[in-house]
């Protein structure tokens, strides 16, 4: 398995605070069979003029020296698109996933559907493939919205553990997988116990092992190698007993 979205570069954002904390997470990743991790600290488009802080180079070198040899580390970023990107391609390549054309992006939580579409279109016009981080986080995200966003040439990255969440984001994430609109999964680990391996836990009971392999291994590998990803077939997510009960009560309250 491969994780392309996490905040394990120590001490640079709201994720892991120390090298020791990050090493502990990477060791847990290795035990679950995760072979590659692309570190994606937060960046904000409106502050890119400052470039990449020297502290990032120091943190990466320290983690690479101390981390488990079973896990290959790569560089990237999670870029908040609070304005259109106008920076040189050379800088954007340093922020992209492993220096590829794939750029992990996000938005403020209350973003509008049209704003996302316009911003993703602009990234594509700059010659990059946007990978939209956790689209299920946005209240405006529906299968119809995600389909429109993907029409720009963008990819959708669902958070693996969110697929196991009961409501809200969990329902939106599962709706994307059910509709065959998710392209990769990731941990979005901030120095905690979240793992991309949860993709298999979420999908295998629904006959989605092949889709989980695409989401958590094959498509992330294609991105690291700057290749085209494969389309992930829909997964028929069967409702659990508790979900059925909740729906009954919700219907009675209407």
């Amino acid at each position: 398995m491969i994780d392309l979205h996490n905040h394990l570069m120590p001490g640079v954002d709201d994720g892991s605070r120390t090298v020791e904390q990050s090493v502990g997470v990477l060791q847990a990743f290795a035990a679950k069979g995760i072979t590659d991790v692309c570190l994606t600290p937060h960046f904000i488009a409106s502050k890119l003029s400052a470039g990449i802080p020297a502290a990032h180079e120091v943190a990466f070198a320290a983690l690479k020296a101390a981390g488990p040899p079973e896990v290959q580390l790569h560089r990237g970023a999670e870029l908040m698109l609070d304005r259109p990107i106008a920076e040189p391609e050379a800088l954007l390549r340093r922020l992209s996933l492993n220096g590829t054309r794939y750029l992990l992006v996000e938005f403020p939580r209350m973003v509008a559907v049209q704003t996302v579409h316009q911003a993703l279109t602009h990234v594509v016009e700059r010659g990059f493939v946007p990978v939209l981080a956790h689209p299920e986080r946005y209240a405006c995200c529906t299968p119809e919205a995600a389909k429109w966003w993907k029409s720009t040439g963008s990819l959708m990255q669902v958070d693996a553990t969110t697929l196991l969440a009961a409501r809200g984001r969990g329902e939106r994430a599962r709706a994307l997988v059910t509709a065959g609109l998710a392209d990769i999964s990731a941990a979005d680990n901030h120095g905690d116990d979240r793992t991309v391996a949860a993709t298999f836990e979420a999908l295998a009971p629904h006959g989605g092992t092949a889709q989980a392999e695409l989401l958590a291994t094959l498509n992330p590998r294609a991105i690291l190698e700057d290749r085209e990803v494969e389309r992930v077939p829909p997964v028929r997510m069967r409702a659990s007993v508790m979900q059925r009960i909740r729906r009954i009560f919700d219907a009675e309250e209407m």
Side-chain angles (χ1 to χ4, degrees):
M1 288 172 287
I2 296 170
D3 181 43
L4 298 183
H5 177 191
N6 60 82
H7 299 275
L8 294 177
M9 188 177 288
V12 301
D13 61 9
D14 62 343
S16 177
R17 303 312 305 161
T18 67
V19 171
E20 292 74 20
Q21 183 179 4
S22 295
V23 168
V25 174
L26 292 175
Q27 289 172 337
F29 280 7
K32 290 182 177 294
I34 296 167
T35 61
D36 293 79
V37 170
C38 191
L39 307 173
T40 55
H42 288 293
F43 279 82
I44 302 175
S46 59
K47 298 181 180 180
L48 282 182
S49 59
I52 299 175
H56 284 220
E57 309 301 329
V58 175
F60 179 73
L63 184 56
K64 191 172 180 64
E70 308 96 307
V71 180
Q72 181 69 37
L73 297 182
H74 309 273
R75 297 283 296 273
E78 182 183 18
L79 181 59
M80 171 72 73
L81 295 179
D82 64 337
R83 66 150 172 79
I85 51 174
E87 284 63 35
E89 180 179 351
L91 175 57
L92 296 177
R93 282 280 179 174
R94 292 184 66 193
L95 298 173
S96 68
L97 298 172
N98 199 33
T100 67
R101 66 190 135 151
Y102 294 98
L103 188 65
L104 185 69
V105 301
E106 67 169 342
F107 295 91
R109 299 194 182 200
M110 299 307 294
V111 69
V113 172
Q114 179 70 33
T115 301
V116 174
H117 187 271
Q118 290 175 341
L120 295 177
T121 298
H122 178 70
V123 174
V124 172
E125 290 172 347
R126 289 296 311 274
F128 289 85
V129 178
V131 180
L132 180 55
H134 40 58
E136 71 275 5
R137 178 175 295 185
Y138 312 116
C140 68
C141 179
T142 63
E144 293 74 22
K147 192 172 183 178
W148 192 39
W149 297 339
K150 283 173 66 71
S151 72
T152 65
S154 303
L155 304 181
M156 301 291 116
Q157 175 259 300
V158 297
D159 282 355
T161 52
T162 303
L163 289 168
L164 296 166
R167 290 192 175 190
R169 295 183 192 176
E171 291 176 333
R172 290 193 288 270
R174 289 188 293 274
L176 296 182
V177 171
T178 300
L181 295 169
D183 298 288
I184 67 169
S185 58
D188 195 10
N189 187 293
H190 281 63
D192 45 63
D193 60 357
R194 284 176 283 182
T195 168
V196 70
T199 310
F200 288 88
E201 182 181 351
L203 301 188
H206 305 276
T209 300
Q211 290 91 331
E213 183 70 13
L214 280 167
L215 290 166
T217 304
L218 299 180
N219 279 349
R221 172 62 68 189
I223 288 174
L224 280 182
E225 296 176 355
D226 213 2
R227 296 185 285 107
E228 296 289 335
V229 303
E230 295 184 42
R231 179 179 177 272
V232 180
V235 179
R236 186 178 179 183
M237 304 284 284
R238 298 185 298 274
S240 68
V241 174
M242 287 306 299
Q243 286 173 323
R244 294 192 190 104
I245 292 172
R246 288 193 193 100
R247 289 174 185 171
I248 292 171
F249 280 109
D250 288 344
E252 291 177 347
E253 292 173 0
M254 292 179 63

Coordinates of all heavy atoms in Angstrom, one line a residue, residues 169-225:
R169 N -19.5 13.1 6.7 CA -18.4 12.9 5.8 C -18.3 11.4 5.3 O -18.0 11.1 4.2 CB -17.0 13.2 6.5 CG -16.9 14.7 6.8 CD -15.5 14.9 7.4 NE -15.3 16.2 7.9 CZ -14.2 16.6 8.6 NH1 -13.2 15.8 8.7 NH2 -14.2 17.8 9.1
G170 N -18.6 10.5 6.3 CA -18.6 9.1 6.0 C -19.6 8.7 4.9 O -19.3 8.0 3.9
E171 N -20.8 9.3 5.0 CA -21.8 9.0 3.9 C -21.4 9.6 2.6 O -21.6 9.0 1.5 CB -23.1 9.6 4.4 CG -23.7 8.9 5.6 CD -25.0 9.5 6.1 OE1 -25.2 10.7 5.9 OE2 -25.9 8.8 6.6
R172 N -20.8 10.8 2.6 CA -20.3 11.4 1.4 C -19.2 10.6 0.7 O -19.1 10.4 -0.5 CB -19.9 12.9 1.6 CG -21.1 13.8 1.9 CD -20.7 15.2 1.8 NE -19.9 15.7 2.9 CZ -20.4 16.2 4.1 NH1 -21.7 16.3 4.3 NH2 -19.5 16.6 5.0
A173 N -18.2 10.2 1.6 CA -17.1 9.4 1.1 C -17.6 8.1 0.4 O -17.2 7.7 -0.7 CB -16.1 9.1 2.2
R174 N -18.5 7.4 1.1 CA -19.0 6.1 0.6 C -19.8 6.4 -0.7 O -19.8 5.5 -1.6 CB -19.9 5.4 1.7 CG -19.0 4.8 2.8 CD -19.9 4.0 3.7 NE -20.9 4.8 4.5 CZ -20.6 5.4 5.6 NH1 -19.4 5.3 6.2 NH2 -21.6 6.1 6.2
A175 N -20.5 7.5 -0.8 CA -21.3 7.8 -2.0 C -20.4 7.9 -3.2 O -20.7 7.5 -4.3 CB -22.1 9.1 -1.8
L176 N -19.2 8.5 -3.0 CA -18.2 8.6 -4.1 C -17.7 7.3 -4.5 O -17.6 7.0 -5.7 CB -17.0 9.5 -3.6 CG -17.4 11.0 -3.3 CD1 -16.1 11.7 -3.0 CD2 -18.1 11.7 -4.5
V177 N -17.4 6.4 -3.5 CA -16.9 5.1 -3.9 C -18.0 4.3 -4.6 O -17.8 3.5 -5.5 CB -16.4 4.4 -2.6 CG1 -16.1 2.9 -2.9 CG2 -15.2 5.1 -2.1
T178 N -19.2 4.4 -4.0 CA -20.4 3.7 -4.6 C -20.6 4.1 -6.1 O -21.0 3.3 -6.9 CB -21.7 3.9 -3.8 OG1 -21.4 3.5 -2.5 CG2 -22.9 3.2 -4.4
A179 N -20.4 5.4 -6.4 CA -20.6 5.9 -7.7 C -19.4 5.7 -8.6 O -19.4 6.1 -9.8 CB -20.9 7.4 -7.6
G180 N -18.3 5.1 -8.1 CA -17.1 5.0 -8.9 C -16.4 6.2 -9.2 O -15.7 6.4 -10.3
L181 N -16.4 7.2 -8.3 CA -15.8 8.5 -8.5 C -14.5 8.8 -7.7 O -13.9 9.8 -8.0 CB -16.9 9.6 -8.1 CG -18.1 9.7 -9.0 CD1 -19.2 10.6 -8.4 CD2 -17.8 10.1 -10.4
A182 N -14.2 7.9 -6.8 CA -12.9 8.0 -6.1 C -11.8 7.4 -6.9 O -12.0 6.4 -7.6 CB -13.1 7.3 -4.7
D183 N -10.6 8.0 -6.8 CA -9.5 7.6 -7.6 C -8.4 7.0 -6.7 O -7.7 6.0 -7.1 CB -8.9 8.7 -8.4 CG -9.9 9.3 -9.4 OD1 -10.1 8.5 -10.4 OD2 -10.4 10.4 -9.2
I184 N -8.2 7.6 -5.5 CA -7.2 7.1 -4.6 C -7.8 7.3 -3.2 O -8.7 8.1 -3.0 CB -5.8 7.7 -4.7 CG1 -5.8 9.2 -4.3 CG2 -5.2 7.5 -6.1 CD1 -4.4 9.8 -4.1
S185 N -7.2 6.5 -2.2 CA -7.5 6.8 -0.8 C -6.2 7.1 -0.1 O -5.1 6.9 -0.7 CB -8.1 5.5 -0.2 OG -7.3 4.4 -0.3
A186 N -6.3 7.7 1.0 CA -5.1 8.1 1.8 C -5.4 8.2 3.3 O -6.6 8.2 3.6 CB -4.5 9.4 1.3
A187 N -4.4 8.4 4.1 CA -4.6 8.4 5.5 C -5.0 9.8 6.1 O -5.8 9.9 7.0 CB -3.4 7.9 6.3
D188 N -4.4 10.8 5.5 CA -4.4 12.2 6.1 C -4.0 12.1 7.6 O -4.6 12.7 8.5 CB -5.8 12.8 6.0 CG -5.8 14.3 6.3 OD1 -4.7 14.9 6.4 OD2 -6.9 14.9 6.4
N189 N -3.0 11.3 7.9 CA -2.5 11.1 9.2 C -1.8 12.3 9.7 O -1.0 13.0 9.0 CB -1.5 9.9 9.3 CG -1.1 9.5 10.6 OD1 -0.4 10.2 11.3 ND2 -1.5 8.3 11.1
H190 N -2.1 12.7 11.0 CA -1.5 13.9 11.6 C -0.6 13.5 12.8 O -0.6 14.2 13.8 CB -2.5 14.9 12.0 CG -3.1 15.8 10.9 ND1 -3.7 15.3 9.8 CD2 -3.0 17.1 10.7 CE1 -4.1 16.3 9.0 NE2 -3.6 17.4 9.5
G191 N 0.0 12.3 12.7 CA 0.7 11.8 13.9 C -0.1 10.9 14.8 O 0.2 10.7 15.9
D192 N -1.2 10.4 14.2 CA -2.1 9.6 15.0 C -2.2 8.2 14.4 O -1.2 7.7 13.9 CB -3.5 10.2 15.0 CG -3.9 10.7 13.6 OD1 -4.0 9.8 12.7 OD2 -4.0 11.9 13.4
D193 N -3.3 7.5 14.5 CA -3.4 6.1 14.1 C -4.1 5.9 12.8 O -4.5 4.8 12.4 CB -4.0 5.2 15.2 CG -5.4 5.7 15.6 OD1 -5.9 6.7 15.0 OD2 -6.1 5.0 16.4
R194 N -4.4 6.9 12.1 CA -5.1 6.8 10.8 C -4.2 6.2 9.8 O -3.0 6.5 9.7 CB -5.6 8.2 10.3 CG -6.9 8.7 11.0 CD -7.3 10.0 10.6 NE -6.4 11.1 11.2 CZ -6.6 12.4 11.0 NH1 -7.5 12.8 10.2 NH2 -5.8 13.2 11.6
T195 N -4.8 5.3 8.9 CA -4.0 4.6 8.0 C -4.8 4.3 6.7 O -6.0 4.0 6.8 CB -3.4 3.2 8.6 OG1 -2.9 2.4 7.5 CG2 -4.6 2.5 9.2
V196 N -4.1 4.3 5.6 CA -4.7 4.0 4.3 C -5.1 2.5 4.3 O -6.0 2.1 3.5 CB -3.7 4.3 3.2 CG1 -2.5 3.3 3.1 CG2 -4.4 4.3 1.8
A197 N -4.6 1.7 5.2 CA -5.1 0.3 5.2 C -6.5 0.2 5.6 O -7.2 -0.9 5.3 CB -4.2 -0.5 6.3
A198 N -7.1 1.2 6.1 CA -8.6 1.2 6.4 C -9.4 1.1 5.2 O -10.6 0.7 5.2 CB -9.0 2.4 7.2
T199 N -8.8 1.4 4.0 CA -9.6 1.2 2.7 C -10.0 -0.2 2.6 O -11.2 -0.5 2.2 CB -8.6 1.5 1.5 OG1 -8.0 2.8 1.8 CG2 -9.4 1.6 0.3
F200 N -9.2 -1.2 2.9 CA -9.5 -2.6 2.8 C -10.6 -3.0 3.8 O -11.5 -3.8 3.6 CB -8.3 -3.5 2.9 CG -7.4 -3.4 1.7 CD1 -6.4 -2.5 1.6 CD2 -7.6 -4.3 0.6 CE1 -5.6 -2.4 0.5 CE2 -6.8 -4.2 -0.5 CZ -5.8 -3.3 -0.6
E201 N -10.4 -2.5 5.0 CA -11.4 -2.7 6.1 C -12.8 -2.2 5.7 O -13.8 -2.9 6.0 CB -10.9 -2.1 7.4 CG -11.8 -2.3 8.6 CD -11.3 -1.6 9.9 OE1 -10.2 -1.1 9.8 OE2 -12.1 -1.6 10.8
A202 N -12.8 -1.1 5.0 CA -14.1 -0.5 4.7 C -14.7 -1.2 3.5 O -16.0 -1.4 3.4 CB -13.9 1.0 4.3
L203 N -13.9 -1.7 2.5 CA -14.5 -2.1 1.2 C -14.5 -3.6 1.1 O -15.4 -4.2 0.4 CB -13.7 -1.5 0.1 CG -13.7 0.0 0.0 CD1 -13.0 0.4 -1.4 CD2 -15.1 0.6 0.1
A204 N -13.6 -4.4 1.7 CA -13.6 -5.8 1.6 C -14.9 -6.5 2.0 O -15.3 -7.4 1.2 CB -12.4 -6.4 2.4
P205 N -15.6 -6.1 3.0 CA -16.8 -6.7 3.4 C -17.9 -6.6 2.3 O -18.9 -7.3 2.4 CB -17.2 -6.1 4.7 CG -16.0 -5.5 5.3 CD -15.2 -5.1 4.1
H206 N -17.7 -5.6 1.4 CA -18.7 -5.4 0.4 C -18.2 -5.9 -1.0 O -18.8 -5.5 -2.0 CB -19.0 -3.9 0.3 CG -19.4 -3.2 1.6 ND1 -20.7 -3.2 2.0 CD2 -18.7 -2.6 2.6 CE1 -20.8 -2.6 3.2 NE2 -19.5 -2.3 3.6
G207 N -17.3 -6.8 -1.0 CA -16.8 -7.3 -2.2 C -15.9 -6.4 -3.0 O -15.7 -6.5 -4.2
G208 N -15.3 -5.4 -2.3 CA -14.5 -4.3 -2.9 C -13.0 -4.5 -2.8 O -12.4 -3.4 -2.8
T209 N -12.5 -5.7 -2.6 CA -11.1 -5.8 -2.5 C -10.3 -5.3 -3.7 O -9.3 -4.7 -3.5 CB -10.7 -7.3 -2.2 OG1 -11.4 -7.7 -1.0 CG2 -9.2 -7.5 -2.0
A210 N -10.8 -5.6 -4.9 CA -10.1 -5.2 -6.1 C -10.1 -3.6 -6.2 O -9.1 -3.0 -6.5 CB -10.7 -5.8 -7.3
Q211 N -11.2 -3.0 -5.8 CA -11.3 -1.6 -5.8 C -10.4 -1.0 -4.7 O -9.7 0.1 -4.9 CB -12.7 -1.1 -5.6 CG -13.6 -1.4 -6.7 CD -14.3 -2.7 -6.6 OE1 -13.8 -3.7 -6.1 NE2 -15.5 -2.8 -7.2
A212 N -10.3 -1.6 -3.6 CA -9.4 -1.1 -2.5 C -7.9 -1.2 -3.0 O -7.1 -0.3 -2.7 CB -9.6 -2.0 -1.2
E213 N -7.6 -2.2 -3.7 CA -6.2 -2.4 -4.2 C -5.9 -1.2 -5.2 O -4.8 -0.7 -5.2 CB -6.1 -3.7 -4.9 CG -4.7 -4.0 -5.4 CD -3.7 -4.3 -4.4 OE1 -4.0 -4.4 -3.2 OE2 -2.4 -4.3 -4.7
L214 N -6.9 -0.9 -6.0 CA -6.7 0.3 -6.9 C -6.5 1.6 -6.2 O -5.7 2.4 -6.4 CB -7.9 0.4 -7.9 CG -7.8 -0.6 -9.1 CD1 -9.2 -0.6 -9.8 CD2 -6.7 -0.2 -10.1
L215 N -7.4 1.8 -5.2 CA -7.4 3.0 -4.4 C -6.2 3.2 -3.6 O -5.6 4.3 -3.4 CB -8.7 3.1 -3.5 CG -10.0 3.3 -4.2 CD1 -11.1 3.0 -3.2 CD2 -10.1 4.7 -4.8
A216 N -5.7 2.1 -2.9 CA -4.7 2.2 -1.9 C -3.3 1.8 -2.4 O -2.3 2.1 -1.7 CB -5.0 1.4 -0.7
T217 N -3.2 1.2 -3.6 CA -1.9 0.7 -4.0 C -1.6 1.0 -5.5 O -0.6 1.7 -5.8 CB -1.8 -0.8 -3.9 OG1 -2.0 -1.2 -2.5 CG2 -0.4 -1.3 -4.3
L218 N -2.4 0.5 -6.4 CA -2.1 0.6 -7.8 C -2.2 2.1 -8.3 O -1.2 2.5 -9.0 CB -3.0 -0.3 -8.6 CG -3.0 -1.7 -8.3 CD1 -3.9 -2.5 -9.2 CD2 -1.5 -2.3 -8.5
N219 N -3.2 2.8 -8.0 CA -3.3 4.2 -8.5 C -2.3 5.1 -7.8 O -1.7 6.0 -8.5 CB -4.8 4.7 -8.4 CG -5.6 4.3 -9.5 OD1 -5.1 3.7 -10.5 ND2 -6.9 4.4 -9.4
P220 N -2.1 5.0 -6.5 CA -1.1 5.8 -5.9 C 0.3 5.5 -6.5 O 1.1 6.4 -6.7 CB -1.1 5.4 -4.4 CG -2.6 5.0 -4.2 CD -3.0 4.3 -5.5
R221 N 0.6 4.2 -6.8 CA 1.9 3.9 -7.5 C 2.0 4.6 -8.8 O 3.0 5.1 -9.2 CB 2.0 2.4 -7.6 CG 3.2 1.9 -8.4 CD 4.5 2.3 -7.8 NE 4.8 1.6 -6.6 CZ 5.8 1.9 -5.7 NH1 6.6 2.9 -6.0 NH2 5.9 1.2 -4.6
A222 N 0.9 4.6 -9.6 CA 0.9 5.3 -10.9 C 1.2 6.8 -10.7 O 1.9 7.3 -11.5 CB -0.5 5.0 -11.6
I223 N 0.6 7.4 -9.7 CA 0.9 8.8 -9.5 C 2.3 9.0 -9.1 O 3.0 10.0 -9.7 CB -0.1 9.3 -8.3 CG1 -1.5 9.4 -8.9 CG2 0.4 10.7 -7.8 CD1 -2.6 9.7 -7.8
L224 N 2.9 8.2 -8.2 CA 4.3 8.4 -7.9 C 5.2 8.3 -9.1 O 6.2 8.9 -9.2 CB 4.7 7.3 -6.9 CG 4.4 7.5 -5.4 CD1 4.9 6.4 -4.6 CD2 4.9 8.9 -4.9
E225 N 4.8 7.4 -10.1 CA 5.6 7.2 -11.3 C 5.2 8.1 -12.4 O 5.6 7.9 -13.5 CB 5.5 5.7 -11.6 CG 6.1 4.8 -10.6 CD 6.0 3.3 -10.9 OE1 5.3 3.0 -11.9 OE2 6.5 2.5 -10.1

